[in-house]
Amino acid sequence: MIDDFKAYSNDQIEVRYSKSRCTHAAECVKGLRAVFNVRQRPWINVDNASVDEIVEVIHRCPSGALEYTIKKPK
Ligand code: SF4
């Protein structure tokens, strides 16, 4: 499998998304549309929810297409 992760981040969290892994189950867009919205560009906007909300939805992704790293406060 080709890993083509693309990163979306702010100073609190980095979210990575792999198009080739995504099975379009839509758990992310149904779960947190403010962050995961295919009608906006970039389609992932990590500023629109709390870190906890984003992490909770990423854990629902069935394909492994979404990963995250929580950044340590400076
Ligand atoms: S939840 Fe995962 S598999 Fe489903 S659309 Fe989002 S990234 Fe793709």
PDB file of all heavy atoms in Angstrom, residues 17 22-28 61-63 65-66, ligand 1:
ATOM      1  N   TYR A  17      -3.694  12.460   6.935  1.00  0.00           N
ATOM      2  CA  TYR A  17      -4.723  11.751   6.178  1.00  0.00           C
ATOM      3  C   TYR A  17      -4.104  11.081   4.960  1.00  0.00           C
ATOM      4  O   TYR A  17      -3.336  11.706   4.232  1.00  0.00           O
ATOM      5  CB  TYR A  17      -5.809  12.736   5.733  1.00  0.00           C
ATOM      6  CG  TYR A  17      -6.743  12.168   4.704  1.00  0.00           C
ATOM      7  CD1 TYR A  17      -7.673  11.192   5.047  1.00  0.00           C
ATOM      8  CD2 TYR A  17      -6.690  12.597   3.378  1.00  0.00           C
ATOM      9  CE1 TYR A  17      -8.529  10.657   4.098  1.00  0.00           C
ATOM     10  CE2 TYR A  17      -7.540  12.068   2.426  1.00  0.00           C
ATOM     11  CZ  TYR A  17      -8.461  11.104   2.792  1.00  0.00           C
ATOM     12  OH  TYR A  17      -9.292  10.567   1.856  1.00  0.00           O
ATOM     13  N   CYS A  22      -8.058   5.552   2.670  1.00  0.00           N
ATOM     14  CA  CYS A  22      -9.437   5.913   3.004  1.00  0.00           C
ATOM     15  C   CYS A  22     -10.419   5.035   2.248  1.00  0.00           C
ATOM     16  O   CYS A  22     -10.317   4.863   1.034  1.00  0.00           O
ATOM     17  CB  CYS A  22      -9.660   7.381   2.645  1.00  0.00           C
ATOM     18  SG  CYS A  22     -11.322   7.954   2.952  1.00  0.00           S
ATOM     19  N   THR A  23     -11.368   4.478   2.986  1.00  0.00           N
ATOM     20  CA  THR A  23     -12.412   3.657   2.365  1.00  0.00           C
ATOM     21  C   THR A  23     -13.725   4.429   2.254  1.00  0.00           C
ATOM     22  O   THR A  23     -14.769   3.860   1.974  1.00  0.00           O
ATOM     23  CB  THR A  23     -12.641   2.381   3.187  1.00  0.00           C
ATOM     24  OG1 THR A  23     -12.922   2.759   4.537  1.00  0.00           O
ATOM     25  CG2 THR A  23     -11.428   1.475   3.159  1.00  0.00           C
ATOM     26  N   HIS A  24     -13.671   5.714   2.512  1.00  0.00           N
ATOM     27  CA  HIS A  24     -14.828   6.599   2.378  1.00  0.00           C
ATOM     28  C   HIS A  24     -16.011   6.143   3.214  1.00  0.00           C
ATOM     29  O   HIS A  24     -17.163   6.212   2.792  1.00  0.00           O
ATOM     30  CB  HIS A  24     -15.198   6.779   0.898  1.00  0.00           C
ATOM     31  CG  HIS A  24     -14.033   7.255   0.085  1.00  0.00           C
ATOM     32  ND1 HIS A  24     -13.546   8.545   0.170  1.00  0.00           N
ATOM     33  CD2 HIS A  24     -13.203   6.591  -0.754  1.00  0.00           C
ATOM     34  CE1 HIS A  24     -12.482   8.652  -0.608  1.00  0.00           C
ATOM     35  NE2 HIS A  24     -12.252   7.479  -1.180  1.00  0.00           N
ATOM     36  N   ALA A  25     -15.699   5.636   4.399  1.00  0.00           N
ATOM     37  CA  ALA A  25     -16.755   5.229   5.322  1.00  0.00           C
ATOM     38  C   ALA A  25     -17.470   6.437   5.914  1.00  0.00           C
ATOM     39  O   ALA A  25     -18.544   6.300   6.479  1.00  0.00           O
ATOM     40  CB  ALA A  25     -16.162   4.376   6.446  1.00  0.00           C
ATOM     41  N   ALA A  26     -16.852   7.599   5.791  1.00  0.00           N
ATOM     42  CA  ALA A  26     -17.467   8.873   6.186  1.00  0.00           C
ATOM     43  C   ALA A  26     -17.703   9.026   7.682  1.00  0.00           C
ATOM     44  O   ALA A  26     -18.461   9.887   8.096  1.00  0.00           O
ATOM     45  CB  ALA A  26     -18.756   9.126   5.411  1.00  0.00           C
ATOM     46  N   GLU A  27     -17.056   8.194   8.483  1.00  0.00           N
ATOM     47  CA  GLU A  27     -17.179   8.384   9.937  1.00  0.00           C
ATOM     48  C   GLU A  27     -16.681   9.769  10.340  1.00  0.00           C
ATOM     49  O   GLU A  27     -17.234  10.398  11.242  1.00  0.00           O
ATOM     50  CB  GLU A  27     -16.361   7.327  10.686  1.00  0.00           C
ATOM     51  CG  GLU A  27     -16.902   5.931  10.602  1.00  0.00           C
ATOM     52  CD  GLU A  27     -18.266   5.781  11.253  1.00  0.00           C
ATOM     53  OE1 GLU A  27     -18.552   6.517  12.206  1.00  0.00           O
ATOM     54  OE2 GLU A  27     -19.033   4.934  10.793  1.00  0.00           O
ATOM     55  N   CYS A  28     -15.644  10.213   9.683  1.00  0.00           N
ATOM     56  CA  CYS A  28     -15.072  11.506  10.057  1.00  0.00           C
ATOM     57  C   CYS A  28     -16.015  12.657   9.684  1.00  0.00           C
ATOM     58  O   CYS A  28     -16.313  13.499  10.520  1.00  0.00           O
ATOM     59  CB  CYS A  28     -13.712  11.695   9.397  1.00  0.00           C
ATOM     60  SG  CYS A  28     -13.716  11.493   7.612  1.00  0.00           S
ATOM     61  N   CYS A  61     -12.330   6.108  12.731  1.00  0.00           N
ATOM     62  CA  CYS A  61     -11.981   5.828  11.331  1.00  0.00           C
ATOM     63  C   CYS A  61     -11.609   4.350  11.187  1.00  0.00           C
ATOM     64  O   CYS A  61     -10.700   3.877  11.869  1.00  0.00           O
ATOM     65  CB  CYS A  61     -10.813   6.712  10.899  1.00  0.00           C
ATOM     66  SG  CYS A  61     -10.185   6.304   9.262  1.00  0.00           S
ATOM     67  N   PRO A  62     -12.312   3.606  10.341  1.00  0.00           N
ATOM     68  CA  PRO A  62     -12.094   2.167  10.273  1.00  0.00           C
ATOM     69  C   PRO A  62     -10.904   1.742   9.416  1.00  0.00           C
ATOM     70  O   PRO A  62     -10.494   0.590   9.450  1.00  0.00           O
ATOM     71  CB  PRO A  62     -13.395   1.671   9.636  1.00  0.00           C
ATOM     72  CG  PRO A  62     -13.862   2.810   8.789  1.00  0.00           C
ATOM     73  CD  PRO A  62     -13.412   4.064   9.487  1.00  0.00           C
ATOM     74  N   SER A  63     -10.330   2.649   8.663  1.00  0.00           N
ATOM     75  CA  SER A  63      -9.360   2.239   7.648  1.00  0.00           C
ATOM     76  C   SER A  63      -7.906   2.523   8.001  1.00  0.00           C
ATOM     77  O   SER A  63      -7.003   2.065   7.307  1.00  0.00           O
ATOM     78  CB  SER A  63      -9.678   2.976   6.346  1.00  0.00           C
ATOM     79  OG  SER A  63      -9.422   4.350   6.515  1.00  0.00           O
ATOM     80  N   ALA A  65      -6.801   5.526   7.790  1.00  0.00           N
ATOM     81  CA  ALA A  65      -6.454   6.654   6.923  1.00  0.00           C
ATOM     82  C   ALA A  65      -6.173   7.930   7.700  1.00  0.00           C
ATOM     83  O   ALA A  65      -5.600   8.863   7.160  1.00  0.00           O
ATOM     84  CB  ALA A  65      -7.580   6.912   5.925  1.00  0.00           C
ATOM     85  N   LEU A  66      -6.604   7.964   8.960  1.00  0.00           N
ATOM     86  CA  LEU A  66      -6.375   9.156   9.778  1.00  0.00           C
ATOM     87  C   LEU A  66      -5.446   8.811  10.941  1.00  0.00           C
ATOM     88  O   LEU A  66      -5.640   7.806  11.630  1.00  0.00           O
ATOM     89  CB  LEU A  66      -7.704   9.687  10.341  1.00  0.00           C
ATOM     90  CG  LEU A  66      -8.653  10.333   9.336  1.00  0.00           C
ATOM     91  CD1 LEU A  66      -9.995  10.609   9.985  1.00  0.00           C
ATOM     92  CD2 LEU A  66      -8.076  11.626   8.768  1.00  0.00           C
TER      93      LEU A  66
HETATM   94  S1  SF4 B   1     -13.462   7.964   8.591  1.00  0.00           S
HETATM   95 FE1  SF4 B   1     -11.527   7.295   7.710  1.00  0.00          FE
HETATM   96  S2  SF4 B   1     -12.100   5.911   6.063  1.00  0.00           S
HETATM   97 FE2  SF4 B   1     -13.887   7.099   6.596  1.00  0.00          FE
HETATM   98  S3  SF4 B   1     -13.890   8.829   5.182  1.00  0.00           S
HETATM   99 FE3  SF4 B   1     -12.871   9.471   7.063  1.00  0.00          FE
HETATM  100  S4  SF4 B   1     -10.722   9.080   6.664  1.00  0.00           S
HETATM  101 FE4  SF4 B   1     -11.851   7.923   5.155  1.00  0.00          FE
END
